[in-house]
Amino acid sequence: MDTQVIVIDEHNIDADKIRVAGKIIRDGGLVAFPTETVYGLGGDGLNPESSKRIYAAKGRPSDNPLIIHIARLEDLYPIVSEVTEDVLRLAEAFWPGPLTMILPKSDRVPYETTGGLDTVAVRMPEHKTALAFIEAAGGYVAAPSANTSGKPSPTMATHVIDDMQGRIDMIIDGGAVGIGLESTIVDMTEEVPMILRPGYITQEMLYKVLGEVTMDKTLMGEDTKEAPKAPGMKYKHYAPKGDLTIVEGSEEAVIQQINALICKGQARGERVGVIATKETMDYYKADVVKCAGSRQCEEEIAHGLYAILREFDDDEVTLIYSESFESLGMGQAIMNRLLKAAGYQVIHAE
Ligand code: TXA
Ligand code: MG
């Protein structure tokens, strides 16, 4: 399949290009598009055949449900069976934006889109190109992140091209995304709303609107035999080819420990990479040292994390050590993704 790549500037949207992209979706095709979180791989969320194509293009297990993206609040009503006051409050506070709500689905939504579940994930993204595209596509764009299953989510069009060229009809290049980690998912079908995936919208921000909100306890690697509630969170995701381990502890201890591990690894013939911060990057003696950003700015770290994980694949490192980050505020989303990428391998440096 020929994949057309077109550039659309969010601040000067070309209506003709958007119309063409929208028609591809209405005709049952697939278009990757930028959002404020990561790039999405879009198909018609109400067309079961489109959802099947999305799973095939991603190589994703079909029990892993898709998020339906909408552009207007009124479009929420036809696809869900109930809209509570709390749901409206969250929509008012965070839509358009990086928040996905799990809601009871209506009959309009095919089970192919929800992976067989009676609930549907809905999000209104805050990206002008995404919103215009969703409207042109008929209002309901089912979209997982536009990576092949198991790879980090794409934060730049080049990532999407690497993964999806030849597999989908079109890629809309909108440059680098803003946030860099996927949306926060909150399950509104629970008695007490529950965060199924941490993101830019933090537990505290949700708490301020809802008064109560819990966190799926399987998310931060706590010992539990239960599976995470969001089916996608159970898969080893975002995994770089090199074997990634997180090293936690005081700054000094972490630097010492990682340098010792680098020496050991290199002595065995490994090529070693490190995910460091602005504050520490000069202290490492690895083959490749990547700076994730300053510890003073979690947004910066979130923004660059996936690109770094992808770059390590090109650098062909076989071992990767990463510093650890605070599990507070947005740091919770960063650590959640990093832990998954590391398959929960953590060393405590003394
Ligand atoms: O920021 C984002 O959310 C991006 C952009 C493109 O919008 N999308 C994204 O989609 O991250 P995806 O498919 O990569 O992740 C969706 C997650 C998966 O973990 C999936 O299991 C979960 O949402 N999910 C979807 N529908 C669900 C449902 N009905 N119940 C529980 N979890 C659900
Ligand atoms: Mg994904």
Side-chain angles (χ1 to χ4, degrees):
M1 179 190 281
D2 241 12
T3 304
Q4 208 187 332
V5 181
I6 61 167
V7 176
I8 296 183
D9 175 2
E10 184 184 5
H11 304 293
N12 183 17
I13 292 178
D14 183 327
D16 288 336
K17 288 184 182 169
I18 288 286
R19 219 170 292 128
V20 174
K23 180 151 191 319
I24 293 175
I25 299 291
R26 282 185 280 113
D27 290 344
L30 304 183
V31 177
F33 63 102
T35 82
E36 79 280 29
T37 56
V38 299
Y39 273 81
L41 168 53
D44 181 352
L46 304 186
N47 178 350
E49 295 310 314
S50 298
S51 292
K52 285 187 199 158
R53 286 203 187 114
I54 291 176
Y55 289 111
K58 266 185 79 86
R60 173 172 181 156
S62 59
D63 67 343
N64 189 0
L66 308 174
I67 297 173
I68 295 189
H69 295 68
I70 58 174
R72 309 176 309 177
L73 188 58
E74 60 259 45
D75 292 338
L76 175 64
Y77 293 85
I79 57 170
V80 300
S81 62
E82 195 193 3
V83 177
T84 62
E85 283 299 314
D86 276 349
V87 170
L88 288 177
R89 266 185 221 119
L90 286 185
E92 167 77 26
F94 302 116
W95 278 0
L99 179 73
T100 297
M101 288 192 247
I102 308 294
L103 301 166
K105 83 174 194 70
S106 77
D107 294 340
R108 293 276 305 273
V109 182
Y111 283 113
E112 283 78 0
T113 300
T114 67
L117 297 176
D118 288 315
T119 53
V120 60
V122 190
R123 165 165 124 80
M124 190 193 296
E126 185 175 32
H127 190 290
K128 291 200 176 69
T129 304
L131 291 169
F133 163 64
I134 293 163
E135 281 215 48
Y140 299 102
V141 174
S145 47
N147 51 289
T148 24
S149 202
K151 279 231 207 166
S153 295
T155 55
M156 295 189 253
T158 50
H159 298 161
V160 184
I161 294 169
D162 284 347
D163 285 13
M164 290 298 151
Q165 182 105 59
R167 295 169 163 257
I168 61 178
D169 300 282
M170 179 181 271
I171 296 169
I172 301 176
D173 178 349
V177 300
I179 294 175
L181 296 181
E182 306 84 346
S183 62
T184 304
I185 301 179
V186 59
D187 188 346
M188 298 304 290
T189 68
E190 291 277 346
E191 187 77 5
V192 175
M194 183 189 280
I195 296 171
L196 306 189
R197 180 173 73 184
Y200 181 84
I201 308 289
T202 61
Q203 185 163 14
E204 197 186 343
M205 289 158 82
L206 293 170
Y207 181 82
K208 277 195 186 135
V209 175
L210 295 171
E212 51 180 3
V213 57
T214 58
M215 170 88 67
D216 183 343
K217 61 181 183 302
T218 66
L219 291 180
M220 302 309 284
E222 284 171 44
D223 258 349
T224 162
K225 297 221 159 48
E226 286 166 60
K229 270 210 76 194
M233 301 298 279
K234 72 174 181 251
Y235 297 103
K236 182 172 176 186
H237 243 197
Y238 324 118
K241 287 185 204 145
D243 188 30
L244 171 63
T245 304
I246 300 167
V247 182
E248 60 171 28
S250 72
E251 185 176 295
E252 217 185 300
V254 167
I255 293 171
Q256 259 187 24
Q257 175 86 299
I258 289 182
N259 274 329
L261 289 163
I262 294 169
C263 277
K264 250 166 104 180
Q266 286 174 336
R268 291 199 307 268
E270 308 268 13
R271 196 172 144 75
V272 190
V274 172
I275 302 178
T277 48
K278 217 171 241 156
E279 291 79 10
T280 58
M281 60 183 291
D282 294 334
Y283 298 107
Y284 293 109
K285 301 177 186 71
D287 296 287
V288 186
V289 178
K290 306 252 185 224
C291 174
S294 166
R295 282 194 179 272
Q296 306 307 315
C297 183
E298 284 175 339
E299 276 79 10
E300 190 186 348
I301 291 170
H303 186 255
L305 182 64
Y306 285 157
I308 287 180
L309 292 178
R310 279 180 182 260
E311 283 165 26
F312 272 134
D313 286 349
D314 297 334
D315 292 331
E316 297 186 335
V317 294
T318 52
L319 280 183
I320 306 167
Y321 295 104
S322 176
E323 295 181 5
S324 176
F325 299 92
E326 292 275 356
S327 290
L328 290 170
M330 203 182 171
Q332 199 158 50
I334 296 170
M335 269 318 275
N336 166 260
R337 307 309 196 276
L338 208 50
L339 281 163
K340 270 166 62 91
Y344 298 94
Q345 295 188 95
V346 182
I347 294 176
H348 188 80
E350 305 278 347

